[in-house]
Amino acid sequence: MATTAPAHPVHPVDEVPPVRHLAAFGLQHVLAMYAGAVAVPLIVGGAMKLSPADLAYLITADLLVCGIATLIQCVGFWRFGVRLPIMQGCTFAAVSPMVLIGTTGGGLPAIYGSVIVAGLAIVLLAPVFGKLLRFFPPLVTGTVILIIGVSLLPVAGNWAAGGVGAKDFGEPKNLALAGFVLAVVLGVQRFAPAFLSRIAVLVGIAVGLAVAVPFGFTDFGGVGDADWVGISTPFHFGTPTFHASAIVSMLVVALVTMTETTGDLIAVGEMTDRKVEPRTLADGLRADGLSTVLGGVFNTFPYTAFAQNVGLVGMTRVRSRWVVATAGGILVLFGLLPKLGAVVAAVPAPVLGGAGLVMFGTVAASGLRTLAEVDFKGNNNLTVVAVSLAVGMLPVGVPTVYAKFPDWFQTVMNSGISAGCLTAIVLNLLFNHLPGKAGSAGVAAEREAASA
């Protein structure tokens, strides 16, 4: 009697949950990254003193391209997209150069010209970066993931205190609300049924919002003022212009974002048990480049993998890329229907802070889990981790530490993630690949592990 061959099991990354689960999980990802997603257009537009209408246009354009970029990265086509649960958002590494270009070097058209060139450069350089994956053994990846998580914690702390620039920043009521949300998230994760525990962050934010409204933490006045429909048209602010100095500074940003994205993709690969290979890394970076070109065309900014959502993948253990693709679809809706975006924008910062503490802490803990695989006996691996962590945390703890340095240096080193990543790569090469002292123990073993 013939027997049918068992079907190949579907990898958790490729599983498609039921529609109701997709919607809940996807919305959870959107809420986790929304504040960060709109921060870049707010900062750049505010520095350039744009009108409220232009600022609103920047935000809706950003949300639209965020969604499209996320869909490209998660779903993928041809050689574009890593096909992992990765959210895309505007990179903060570009903020300072864009403000400088916008206020002194040609306005928004000059910004968009440099962004388009940077995006094309990322597409061309993606295969080169893909070949660098062998320089990311567990020693380096674990350190980078740890730095990503720890460098994000101040973001959650600022949210918990009320948000940077808030008049009531640091008030006990803000921290109490953040602590309440954190307690709800932990309680749901520990005691609720399996499905609810996987949307613990969404539940925590919803309960926190329900408590915040009657206590006056927020209101929905902005929802009434928002338009029902908003459509971003190419080159709304004029034909892009191309200035050499602006392009050079944005190319430096491109190298920084490629380094950061590499760390994020490797982190998600570790969390989902689908390790990133050189080809898939190049595909992911190529998607970043395409999204950045779209950003320049549709009146927004450079795009990169959003580290905020890496922690959510690790915490919820929901590894499906279709969940994050759904989140991308929700962002597209927000970009086309500004009223929906205004509802989400009403979530107060302390509510996001309570959820952010556990999400970003999860990223750091994942880095420690990766480092647990590394041999620290009889070698210099502890020094590699220690110095890389110190260099990565320096601009986080002392934001003005590089204020007297050239702009290009600040662009690279003011990002704790890129600074720590570059340090870890260089120190790993120095201690574990270059010829060492005769008789140094453990070097050969670590070389073998590093090349694996």
Side-chain angles (χ1 to χ4, degrees):
M1 181 177 178
T3 57
T4 56
H8 291 292
V10 177
H11 193 283
V13 167
D14 298 319
E15 282 182 355
V16 183
V19 173
R20 66 182 186 280
H21 291 184
L22 279 173
F25 292 147
L27 181 58
Q28 184 170 238
H29 272 281
V30 170
L31 291 172
M33 61 83 70
Y34 190 89
V38 300
V40 172
L42 281 172
I43 295 168
V44 175
M48 295 179 64
K49 296 181 170 52
L50 296 183
S51 68
D54 284 345
L55 205 54
Y57 193 97
L58 277 185
I59 291 171
T60 54
D62 173 39
L63 293 173
L64 175 66
V65 181
C66 268
I68 294 171
T70 299
L71 287 167
I72 293 171
Q73 195 69 275
C74 294
V75 178
F77 67 93
W78 190 50
R79 297 295 304 277
F80 292 85
V82 72
R83 295 166 175 83
L84 285 173
I86 290 283
M87 289 291 290
Q88 297 284 105
C90 281
T91 174
F92 285 87
V95 169
S96 295
M98 289 193 301
V99 168
L100 193 63
I101 296 166
T103 54
T104 65
L108 286 172
I111 291 176
Y112 295 139
S114 63
V115 167
I116 290 170
V117 173
L120 293 173
I122 293 173
V123 172
L124 294 174
L125 289 173
V128 177
F129 256 73
K131 293 175 182 176
L132 299 179
L133 196 60
R134 61 194 182 91
F135 297 114
F136 286 84
L139 174 64
V140 173
T141 58
T143 303
V144 172
I145 296 168
L146 175 61
I147 291 171
I148 291 171
V150 177
S151 65
L152 285 171
L153 287 174
V155 175
N158 282 321
W159 286 346
V164 175
K167 293 180 181 177
D168 61 349
F169 186 86
E171 289 281 347
K173 64 176 185 178
N174 291 335
L175 294 168
L177 178 58
F180 170 72
V181 171
L182 175 60
V184 171
V185 171
L186 295 176
V188 170
Q189 195 171 12
R190 173 64 181 85
F191 298 109
F195 171 66
L196 280 179
S197 70
R198 290 183 173 181
I199 56 168
V201 169
L202 179 60
V203 174
I205 290 174
V207 173
L209 183 59
V211 170
V213 172
F215 282 94
F217 281 91
T218 188
D219 63 66
F220 291 93
V223 178
D225 298 334
D227 295 330
W228 278 105
V229 179
I231 299 175
S232 298
T233 54
F235 309 127
H236 173 80
F237 294 99
T239 305
T241 57
F242 301 91
H243 301 278
S245 59
I247 290 170
V248 169
S249 63
M250 206 55 66
L251 288 175
V252 174
V253 170
L255 293 174
V256 172
T257 56
M258 291 178 83
T259 305
E260 291 183 349
T261 296
T262 298
D264 291 333
L265 298 185
I266 291 171
V268 172
E270 296 272 352
M271 291 176 179
T272 57
D273 294 325
R274 177 175 277 179
K275 293 198 174 182
V276 173
E277 302 293 337
R279 175 174 173 140
T280 51
L281 174 59
D283 292 348
L285 293 171
R286 204 177 278 111
D288 263 15
L290 175 59
S291 302
T292 297
V293 171
L294 291 176
V297 172
F298 286 95
N299 321 293
T300 179
F301 307 116
Y303 284 84
T304 187
F306 240 40
Q308 282 92 325
N309 295 80
V310 173
L312 194 55
V313 173
M315 180 192 144
T316 62
R317 297 185 293 279
V318 176
R319 296 179 281 177
S320 171
R321 61 191 172 106
W322 298 105
V323 163
V324 179
T326 302
I330 293 172
L331 285 172
V332 170
L333 277 179
F334 285 177
L336 296 174
L337 305 172
K339 254 192 205 310
L340 287 178
V343 172
V344 176
V347 177
V351 171
L352 296 174
L357 286 171
V358 65
M359 288 191 301
F360 303 161
T362 300
V363 179
S366 298
L368 293 175
R369 183 175 61 188
T370 301
L371 287 173
E373 304 171 10
V374 177
D375 179 16
F376 287 99
K377 294 179 181 178
N379 54 41
N380 295 294
N381 288 342
L382 196 62
T383 301
V384 175
V385 176
V387 176
S388 302
L389 186 61
V391 173
M393 289 301 99
L394 198 57
V396 176
V398 190
T400 57
V401 66
Y402 299 121
K404 304 294 185 183
F405 284 74
D407 290 339
W408 66 267
F409 187 89
Q410 291 186 51
T411 300
V412 176
M413 298 303 289
N414 274 342
S415 165
I417 298 171
S418 65
C421 182
L422 292 172
T423 304
I425 292 171
V426 170
L427 292 181
N428 178 55
L429 290 174
L430 175 66
F431 285 112
N432 295 319
H433 289 268
L434 294 181
K437 295 176 289 186
S440 58
V443 172
E446 178 55 31
R447 281 183 189 167
E448 185 178 335
S451 61

